[in-house]
Amino acid sequence: MTKTYSIEGIDCANCAKRLEDTLNKIPQTQARLSFATERLKITAPDEHFDAVMKEVRRVTKILEPDAVMAELR
Amino acid sequence: MKKKSRIISIALCAALFVPAVLFDKIGGLFAVYLPLYALAWFAAARTVIVKAARNIRRGVIFDENFLMLVASVGAFVINLVFSDFKTELCAPGGGEAMMDGVLVMLLYQIGELFQSMAVGKSRKGIKQLLSMRPDSAMVERNGGEEEVFPDEVEIGEIIVVRPGERIAIDGVIESGSGYIDASAITGESEPRAATVGCEVQSGSISTDGLLKVRTTKEFGESTASKMLRLVEEASDKKAAQETFITKFAKVYTPLVCLAALIVAIVPPLAVMLSGGGNVWGQWIYTALSLLVVSCPCALVISVPLTFFGGIGGAAKLGALVKGADAFSPFRRATVIAFDKTGTITEGKFSVVECTLGELDTRLAAAAESMFNHPIAKSVAAYRETDGLECENAEDIAGMGIIATVCGKRVVIGKKELLECENVEYVEYSTPYTTLYVGIDGQFAGVIVVADTIKQTSRTAIEECRRLGIKTVMLTGDREEVAAAVAKSVGIDEYFAELLPEEKVAIVKNLQAAGERVVFCGDGINDAPTLATADIGCAMGGLGSDAAIEASDVVIMKDDLRSVIAAKRHAGRVVSIAMQNIIGSLLIKLAIMILAIVIADFPLWIAIIGDVGVCLVAIFNAMRALSVKKYAPPAAKQTE
């Protein structure tokens, strides 16, 4: 399953890259973060998706405390 | 960090900084200016400290926040350690290095503020492009109108589009008419008239009419959604320059820090050992300048931003670039190969010559109006046929047609058909399809039909010649037709009677000869060639998935000039990226050299230079979004 989130409040391209790299270390997860469009795309197996998202939010909170994430339709 | 808290930090820092400088420069009141400097520093530095600490906890040491802290704290330390208290620190201007330390933080924060404003602005420009996806659609259900999410509308439902509204889903106009502004999709600024039965694309705006549109696609498969998906995914594929910068940034910062360390230790140690005295303060101060320029920010932000802006700019031209990696090969292309039918030409027949009398022409048109073949349609559309009665219409397979119009026996087709009918005819010589017409046993003349050349093709090919690009036409059509079309549009070289795999072979041969080939095809059977070429341009919108898949660039409008415009734009995007890379590196290098060569090179000049080059690079990157000068003027579609 792939879901797209808007993620605002990351203010440097390097920080975005760093966050993306860290998120990609979560097992069975593929993360794509676009600094320019402020979109985060997470792909993970359906059955683990909620757990993965919990981890994604936790990691994001640590690395980018100012970032605001919201799911997009 | 939030913009507001950053502005507060900057203001607070400046408010403390000004009196500190006064007490320092005029009075040399150490006891007053030291705490003022320290407080001013802290006002600007507190958020930087938080960030640096966070990154160090995660094992990231060479972080710009940390480096700026080291540089500014370093300035304070040098000042306090290497200055004599009575004769220097208490004299006017004794806190000069401390002033530099505060300035480093202050300017860094101001730079970050400008930078986030500039990034925000260019993001806005890009997001504007992405805003064409509507959030809702008005759908007719149960006798009323209902506002729903567009992805809930099924194929075949009727959506209502009011004047000024964006069409949410692709479909066919069921009722109403008006001018459609499709500029968001095709880049074509001139609104186009549309009425019942016309296809409309999502993302275009009905400028004046109330339209009811029967949807033919799901929302996700509609033009606007597909286009957005392509644009959004395009930034996932990185340009070579971008990959280079990412790799470079990883080694650049540690390397400059190492250089700073060497500068701080080796020269003063050498001087000391050779008995030259204590010059530690001076060299450590120089090393701090190096730390200040060690952040690769100008590159790390501006280069990806350039390509992203470039993708947005191309979209404004009606060209969807599928990945940032397409810009460089597009810019370097030396040959553009075109498919003929539907690419150079309209892809539909029309009458180009007619030697029949007016009445005979109308009879012929009436006879042909009974048939559905593209050639028959072109003749039927050539003249008004109202009131001409037609009967006994018969299709002689592969030969032509026979019909009775107003009591006259009309025979239209190959000359062999006229022979069968015992009509004597005069041979007519043209490369195009010739229809011989016999009426009541008498030869009436010929009608020549051809696939008409788009007016814009000629201009586009002229432009190629001006740019020094070789043009080639590849077609499955007959030799004579190909020769005539090639001559008419002024193409350099053509190959006729080709099978699809032969088109691929010709592109490969060109590549083997060292050419970089762009191939433009209308995308129905051209997918293999599109994939083989260095850059494949699928012409005419998001028609076939195979073509989109195989191509690198999708041209939304059936206009070859868009290809040339997109190519020129690609060239500009790559040069902006190169300017940013080379420019920032040169300026950083210059600052490093100046700092080492000139004794007491002021730290604040180093940081102004560094922040400045970053801002200039970002503003330069934003130029990639503007494409006005490349947009071809609106033109008539046919001659």
Side-chain angles (χ1 to χ4, degrees):
Chain A
M1 176 159 50
T2 301
K3 278 191 181 174
T4 308
Y5 300 82
S6 78
I7 182 160
E8 286 174 21
I10 299 181
D11 52 13
C12 80
N14 234 349
C15 318
K17 183 91 189 73
R18 221 178 274 152
L19 178 59
E20 187 186 56
D21 289 346
T22 318
L23 292 180
N24 272 316
K25 285 183 190 141
I26 303 173
Q28 293 181 295
T29 306
Q30 197 202 353
R32 266 176 178 173
L33 178 56
S34 160
F35 172 67
T37 47
E38 305 190 295
R39 293 283 157 85
L40 173 66
K41 215 184 253 181
I42 299 287
T43 307
D46 288 8
E47 62 272 23
H48 302 309
F49 202 88
D50 289 341
V52 164
M53 271 321 292
K54 211 174 149 194
E55 183 64 11
V56 166
R57 285 181 196 282
R58 195 184 69 84
V59 170
T60 309
K61 189 84 205 157
I62 298 173
L63 296 197
E64 296 294 331
D66 298 327
V68 183
M69 212 193 294
E71 191 180 337
L72 291 177
R73 248 193 97 87
Chain B
M1 186 168 66
K2 300 279 167 352
K3 192 169 146 191
K4 211 168 139 193
S5 67
R6 182 162 270 148
I7 293 175
I8 292 172
S9 296
I10 291 171
L12 200 59
C13 174
L16 292 161
F17 181 63
V18 174
V21 173
L22 291 178
F23 279 112
D24 174 14
K25 295 283 181 201
I26 297 168
L29 294 169
F30 179 73
V32 182
Y33 76 70
L34 175 70
L36 280 175
Y37 274 140
L39 282 174
W41 175 82
F42 185 73
R46 67 198 159 90
T47 54
V48 181
I49 298 171
V50 173
K51 276 192 185 176
R54 202 163 70 209
N55 285 334
I56 288 172
R57 262 210 314 277
R58 296 202 324 261
V60 183
I61 300 165
F62 294 116
D63 154 83
E64 50 176 335
N65 296 294
F66 178 69
L67 295 170
M68 289 299 162
L69 279 182
V70 172
S72 60
V73 172
F76 273 81
V77 171
I78 294 174
N79 208 165
L80 292 172
V81 172
F82 295 102
S83 305
D84 182 75
F85 183 74
K86 277 238 167 79
T87 58
E88 286 174 350
L89 285 178
C90 290
E96 205 180 348
M98 289 186 220
M99 184 185 87
D100 284 345
V102 178
L103 268 178
V104 164
M105 268 304 145
L106 184 60
L107 292 172
Y108 175 68
Q109 288 284 18
I110 291 175
E112 291 282 293
L113 176 70
F114 281 158
Q115 190 178 311
S116 74
M117 274 158 59
V119 168
K121 190 166 177 234
S122 66
R123 265 185 187 154
K124 216 165 129 195
I126 289 158
K127 280 188 174 168
Q128 228 159 28
L129 280 172
L130 303 181
S131 70
M132 64 175 185
R133 174 161 35 198
D135 306 319
S136 67
M138 273 296 186
V139 64
E140 270 190 357
R141 276 180 195 167
N142 315 321
E145 284 176 20
E146 237 178 90
E147 189 172 353
V148 298
F149 288 112
D151 54 354
E152 289 167 6
V153 178
E154 307 210 356
I155 296 177
E157 285 197 288
I158 301 274
I159 53 170
V160 182
V161 185
R162 300 211 151 68
E165 277 182 358
R166 222 175 260 282
I167 298 166
I169 301 166
D170 291 5
V172 175
I173 298 181
E174 188 87 357
S175 78
S177 67
Y179 280 90
I180 306 280
D181 170 11
S183 58
I185 304 290
T186 60
E188 176 74 68
S189 48
E190 195 111 325
R192 159 179 82 84
T195 180
V196 175
C198 287
E199 275 183 36
V200 289
Q201 290 171 319
S202 57
S204 30
I205 298 171
S206 166
T207 56
D208 53 354
L210 174 74
L211 304 180
K212 294 194 174 178
V213 176
R214 184 172 295 282
T215 62
T216 51
K217 286 189 183 144
E218 279 174 22
F219 177 62
E221 289 305 305
S222 286
T223 308
S225 303
K226 270 193 186 171
M227 202 171 150
L228 289 177
R229 215 175 305 140
L230 283 180
V231 172
E232 279 177 2
E233 283 169 7
S235 52
D236 290 347
K237 280 191 235 156
K238 303 266 184 279
Q241 289 86 350
E242 214 174 322
T243 320
F244 164 75
I245 284 308
T246 318
K247 282 188 188 147
F248 178 81
K250 273 195 187 128
V251 291
Y252 172 80
T253 306
L255 218 60
V256 178
C257 291
L258 185 70
L261 195 65
I262 293 173
V263 166
I265 295 173
V266 176
L269 195 65
V271 171
M272 197 171 80
L273 290 180
S274 60
N278 184 342
V279 288
W280 287 92
Q282 185 198 330
W283 282 100
I284 293 176
Y285 186 79
T286 302
L288 297 183
S289 291
L290 295 193
L291 283 188
V292 161
V293 295
S294 68
C295 167
C297 113
L299 300 167
V300 172
I301 291 187
S302 72
V303 174
L305 209 59
T306 304
F307 285 106
F308 198 82
I311 289 166
K316 283 193 199 162
L317 288 174
L320 299 187
V321 178
K322 276 176 55 194
D325 53 348
F327 285 109
S328 272
F330 205 178
R331 160 196 163 103
R332 290 198 304 262
T334 51
V335 172
I336 303 188
F338 303 94
D339 171 47
K340 182 181 76 76
T341 313
T343 303
I344 291 181
T345 66
E346 293 284 351
K348 51 181 189 244
F349 288 98
S350 60
V351 173
V352 291
E353 273 182 84
C354 177
T355 65
L356 275 69
E358 182 57 32
L359 185 62
D360 290 350
T361 311
R362 287 187 63 201
L363 293 178
E368 293 280 22
S369 69
M370 306 303 289
F371 300 92
N372 225 351
H373 186 272
I375 290 182
K377 278 190 186 162
S378 70
V379 178
Y382 189 54
R383 282 292 183 273
E384 186 62 52
T385 58
D386 279 356
L388 298 178
E389 231 163 79
C390 185
E391 49 195 4
N392 304 330
E394 197 183 339
D395 186 359
I396 318 290
M399 297 290 278
I401 60 141
I402 300 175
T404 309
V405 185
C406 302
K408 295 187 183 207
R409 186 175 164 81
V410 181
V411 180
I412 310 172
K414 292 188 176 168
K415 50 193 179 199
E416 290 84 357
L417 184 66
L418 271 71
E419 277 167 22
C420 293
E421 291 285 310
N422 291 320
V423 178
E424 278 184 31
Y425 61 90
V426 185
E427 185 106 20
Y428 194 82
S429 162
T430 166
Y432 302 112
T433 307
T434 311
L435 303 172
Y436 291 83
V437 183
I439 293 173
D440 276 345
Q442 295 293 312
F443 178 55
V446 294
I447 299 173
V448 180
V449 296
D451 186 359
T452 35
I453 294 162
K454 291 178 202 161
Q455 183 63 51
T456 52
S457 302
R458 221 162 267 155
T459 328
I461 284 159
E462 254 165 49
E463 215 164 317
C464 284
R465 181 164 306 128
R466 251 207 344 269
L467 296 171
I469 302 162
K470 189 180 164 189
T471 51
V472 176
M473 184 176 82
L474 309 177
T475 177
D477 208 343
R478 287 177 298 123
E479 168 71 29
E480 305 90 79
V481 180
V485 171
K487 192 163 169 243
S488 165
V489 295
I491 219 141
D492 293 332
E493 197 179 352
Y494 69 90
F495 298 87
E497 296 173 31
L498 298 173
L499 299 170
E501 57 268 30
E502 291 174 320
K503 290 187 182 179
V504 173
I506 287 172
V507 168
K508 279 190 177 154
N509 284 343
L510 284 167
Q511 286 169 329
E515 307 278 14
R516 289 170 214 276
V517 185
V518 175
F519 177 74
C520 308
D522 62 338
I524 293 150
N525 54 9
D526 289 326
T529 326
L530 287 169
T532 307
D534 294 275
I535 292 290
C537 287
M539 300 293 298
L542 298 167
S544 115
D545 281 337
I548 297 177
E549 191 62 38
S551 63
D552 304 287
V553 179
V554 180
I555 306 284
M556 299 301 292
K557 191 167 45 164
D558 263 335
D559 181 344
L560 287 180
R561 292 176 309 169
S562 301
V563 178
I564 316 297
K567 180 181 155 51
R568 292 177 61 200
H569 170 65
R572 181 152 170 269
V573 170
V574 175
S575 34
I576 291 175
M578 295 311 286
Q579 285 160 15
N580 279 348
I581 294 175
I582 295 171
S584 336
L585 286 181
L586 282 183
I587 289 180
K588 278 172 187 284
L589 193 69
I591 294 175
M592 283 190 239
I593 292 173
L594 287 177
I596 294 174
V597 174
I598 301 174
D600 291 329
F601 183 75
L603 202 50
W604 60 270
I605 291 190
I607 184 132
I608 283 187
D610 195 57
V611 168
V613 70
C614 185
L615 290 179
V616 169
I618 289 173
F619 283 116
N620 195 26
M622 284 163 71
R623 291 197 305 134
L625 250 175
S626 81
V627 290
K628 274 216 181 80
K629 64 175 175 180
Y630 298 124
K636 281 170 279 165
Q637 280 293 301
T638 45
E639 48 196 75

